[in-house]
Structure formats: C-alpha cells, structure tokens
Amino acid sequence: MAVPVLNLKAQYAEIRERIDAAVQQVLESGQFVLGPNVSALEEELAKFLGVARAVTLASGTDALHLALRAVGVGPQDFVLTSSFTFVASATSASYIGARPVFVDIRPDTFNLDPNRVTEYLAGRGPGPHPQDRVRAMIPVHLYGQPADMAPLAAIAHERGIAVIEDAAQAIGAEYQGRRVGGLGDIGCFSFYPTKNLGALGDGGLATTQDQGLADRLRSLRAYGGRERYLHEELGFNSRLDEIQAAVLRVKLGFLERWTARRRAIAARYRAGLAGSGVALPVEAPGSTHVYHQFTIRVADRDAVQRRMAERGVRTAIYYPIPLHLQPMYRDLGYRPGDFPEAERAAREVLCLPMYPELTDGQVDEVVEACRQSM
Ligand SMILES: Cc1ncc(COP(=O)(O)O)c(C=O)c1O
C-alpha cells in the first residue's frame, strides 16, 4: 500500500461532525469577521500557550511581518535569522525594507547556532556590517523543535535586540518547561492547513506577554487604528475569519492528543531505523519536540527519495535551497560556502510522512522502504 506524505482527509474524517457543526453555526450567526469565535479562540490559545495575549491574524507570514513592525523595525534595520528555514522567516523583514541577515545552523537541531550569532555580532562571519544595525532576531523552531532560546535571548537582551520567535511549525513545543511563543517578545504561529494545528485555509497568530505590543498588533491587523475610521498609523487588513476560528477551536481540543501520537510515531521511526545508516533527528535535552516533521539525513538523498517513491512511500524536502542562496536574495551578496551547515542540510534532509492518522502498519512500511532504499 502506498503511504502519502500527508493526508488531510483522514483528519477531517475523524472529526467531521464537530467541524461541520462549527461551520454551520457561523453560517447561521451571520457574523463573519472579528466575532465571538475569534475572541474565544484568542483566549483559549493564550491559555494553551501560557502567554498573556494572543492576537489572531490572516497568516503566519503576516504574524512575522506585523511583529517586526510592532517592535519598531524600520527600513534602516537588519533582521537576523537562520538561513535554513521557510522563506517567510526572512521576507517579513524585506516587506518593511529592512535587510535580512543570515546565520548558520547547528547541525544536530537544524536551528540557529548561538555561537555563530555571537560571532556575527562580534563582527566576524559572512554578512553585512555594521552589525549593530541588527534590531531584531528571528529564531525559528524548525520541524517542531525549539531553538536554543536561553543563549539567543541573552545575546539579544545584552544588545537591545528584539526577539521574534518563528513558531509556525512548533505549536505546543516546550523549552525548559515553557511553551514556545512566550519565550521572546512576540511569538508567531501559522495555521496553514498542513501545520500541527491547521485551518481550512490561511490563518496565523502572534503571542506576547506585553499588553502594549498586543495593542500594536491589533491596530496593525485592522487598518492602523483602535477606533473605527480613526487611523493612527499605516495598518493592514490581516484578520482571521470566524469560520476559521470556529474550526480551530474544535481542533485545539485535539491538539495534545495529536501531538502525543506524532511523538509515538517518531519513537517508532527511531526504533525501526536504528542502525540503518540514516542520521535520525536529535531531541535537544530540556526540549519537547512536537514533530511537525520527522527529518532524517542521508548522504545520497535524491536517490533515496526516488527509491522510496518507487516503493510507494512519498517523502518531502524542507528545504532544498538555503535562503542565502535564493535568487530573490542575490543582491545581498552571500556566496556558496558562507553557511556550510545550512548548505549541507539542504543537500541531505529528507522528511518522512508524519501525521497523527498514520497507522503503525504504515510507519513500519515507511521504515522498510527507507531501509531497502539506502
Ligand atoms: C517556518 C515557517 N515560517 C513561516 C511560515 C509562514 O506561515 P504561513 O504559510 O501561514 O504564512 C511557515 C509556513 O508556511 C513556516 O513553516
């Protein structure tokens, strides 16, 4: 039997009655934007994440963009982030006219390397200078594993740099006993349908412990004002709609169970692939990984992926080109070899099927296909 890389129909089949009822209730209410489901979801998410304020938005990309604006990033500033991430981690800075600055990752966790950040901020390593123009840092919790936030936050604090967490892939992940999203100035999440908590379209969230920042985010998401038709700043239209909020409220009730299943699948992959020659993902001590992806490394990656597909198992590559080598960022002046770990990861990573509805039998099939394809 073929194993798809993702299966969103299976999740809908499991909770169909509740989703249909939630959508129906919104249709009958006649209230579609910034209504009771959005307010309730924001409270429920703040509680779930252990933060003071949660502001829903139209996407994870908007969350990053508006978060940078909320902390005051402007066109003259640099924004430091990982080179090995989804493009939106960096475009959020570009939208403002600010300049993304890339730093290499740790090879074990795929996340921003605090030593390389320190190096760059000391004036060493590739990238533009003067480095004191860095106004914000965006650590990414890639694949569902928290970045090493303690040293990153300490470096940022020392230099007055704002910390915006890109937690798009990591809802519910914990770092030293606290959920991501509450570890920096603002946490950013995505409800894109494939995420661990996915809507029926686009959606996003920004979280903060700071009432002032929450007010700023609410103003930015609705045309730059707190009162209707009074506009204090350049704002946007970036609201989550009531149907998506109602659906997300239903799904939030299942998230802990789904995360536990993701972790059980990860454990089964680990046991099955032990000694097979693939490099397994590392769980950093003190962190709880929520396995948005289960990402292995293999030297001959493209051939392994092809052979697994021939055996009916689909896999994915997140991400094949590091951001410093993207054509869009050619003008930033980076070159191949600038960030060797990001470049090696882009050549070696392979993401196995990972969703709570996978059966143990399917996991075993993936393991077998992977072993046979090495
Ligand atoms: C790491 C990361 N950052 C940002 C985003 C952007 O989120 P969205 O697709 O909701 O705009 C995504 C997901 O697409 C992501 O994986």
Side-chain angles (χ1 to χ4, degrees):
M1 277 255 299
V3 184
V5 72
L6 193 70
N7 183 358
L8 294 178
K9 288 187 192 171
Q11 189 192 66
Y12 177 54
E14 184 196 344
I15 55 173
R16 172 181 213 134
E17 279 162 27
R18 291 177 207 231
I19 296 286
D20 289 0
V23 171
Q24 191 68 33
Q25 178 267 323
V26 176
L27 294 180
E28 282 164 14
S29 76
Q31 214 177 337
F32 301 117
V33 174
L34 295 185
N37 280 293
V38 164
S39 309
L41 176 66
E42 289 180 345
E43 277 183 28
E44 289 157 11
L45 283 166
K47 194 162 163 236
F48 178 82
L49 294 167
V51 294
R53 295 285 178 268
V55 180
T56 54
L57 300 163
S59 69
T61 301
D62 278 8
L64 290 162
H65 169 204
L66 301 189
L68 290 179
R69 286 186 183 267
V71 298
V73 169
Q76 69 289 351
D77 294 323
F78 293 173
V79 175
L80 185 156
T81 192
S82 163
S83 177
F84 188 63
T85 175
F86 183 61
V87 70
S89 308
T91 51
S92 53
S94 309
Y95 296 148
I96 301 173
R99 180 166 175 167
V101 171
F102 300 114
V103 172
D104 211 350
I105 54 167
R106 280 176 50 158
D108 54 351
T109 61
F110 301 104
N111 283 326
L112 206 51
D113 186 335
N115 293 329
R116 301 285 90 79
V117 173
T118 304
E119 229 168 67
Y120 168 73
L121 291 174
R124 303 190 302 274
H129 294 276
Q131 63 281 357
D132 56 13
R133 279 173 63 186
V134 174
R135 181 77 186 268
M137 177 194 295
I138 306 182
V140 184
H141 308 310
L142 200 70
Y143 304 141
Q145 166 132 276
D148 197 1
M149 290 301 289
L152 292 172
I155 300 164
H157 187 73
E158 196 178 294
R159 293 174 169 262
I161 294 172
V163 178
I164 309 296
E165 296 175 73
D166 183 342
Q169 301 186 1
I171 192 161
E174 289 179 17
Y175 178 82
Q176 297 179 356
R178 290 165 61 202
R179 288 201 158 141
V180 299
L183 307 172
D185 294 288
I186 300 180
C188 299
F189 295 85
S190 165
F191 300 130
Y192 186 74
T194 59
K195 296 294 192 276
N196 290 24
L197 180 63
L200 304 182
D202 281 303
L205 175 75
T207 53
T208 179
Q209 308 287 15
D210 182 313
Q211 179 65 47
L213 287 176
D215 290 345
R216 242 359 267 290
L217 289 160
R218 285 183 199 284
S219 161
L220 287 165
R221 82 171 168 186
Y223 311 111
R226 282 163 218 182
E227 273 175 53
R228 205 167 254 209
Y229 307 125
L230 175 66
H231 307 286
E232 290 153 14
E233 62 181 329
L234 175 68
F236 302 83
N237 175 357
S238 181
R239 301 168 300 209
L240 185 75
D241 66 64
E242 278 286 294
I243 290 183
Q244 300 302 348
V247 167
L248 288 166
R249 290 182 70 199
V250 171
K251 291 196 182 187
L252 183 57
F254 291 85
L255 186 57
E256 297 209 43
R257 197 198 304 169
W258 288 338
T259 301
R261 177 65 190 147
R262 284 176 185 272
R263 290 183 52 79
I265 292 167
R268 200 171 179 93
Y269 274 144
R270 274 180 202 290
L273 291 171
S276 65
V278 309
L280 295 166
V282 167
E283 251 194 81
S287 290
T288 309
H289 197 317
V290 295
Y291 291 102
H292 175 57
Q293 299 296 338
F294 188 90
T295 306
I296 60 171
R297 279 181 190 262
V298 281
D300 197 7
R301 192 261 320 276
D302 293 346
V304 173
Q305 183 179 43
R306 195 182 56 247
R307 289 196 287 268
M308 286 183 75
E310 282 161 10
R311 292 173 186 275
V313 172
R314 298 280 162 187
T315 55
I317 298 167
Y318 306 119
Y319 297 92
I321 304 174
L323 298 190
H324 67 284
L325 301 181
Q326 288 289 348
M328 180 183 67
Y329 282 136
R330 201 182 291 118
D331 292 349
L332 296 182
Y334 292 102
R335 296 161 191 275
D338 277 350
F339 302 119
E341 292 302 343
E343 291 170 33
R344 189 164 68 88
R347 284 193 302 273
E348 294 182 353
V349 294
L350 189 64
C351 303
L352 304 185
M354 174 52 89
Y355 38 97
E357 298 77 18
L358 275 176
T359 63
D360 285 352
Q362 286 177 307
V363 174
D364 296 345
E365 262 181 68
V366 176
V367 166
E368 196 46 35
C370 187
R371 282 183 163 276
Q372 301 281 335
S373 302
M374 288 294 293

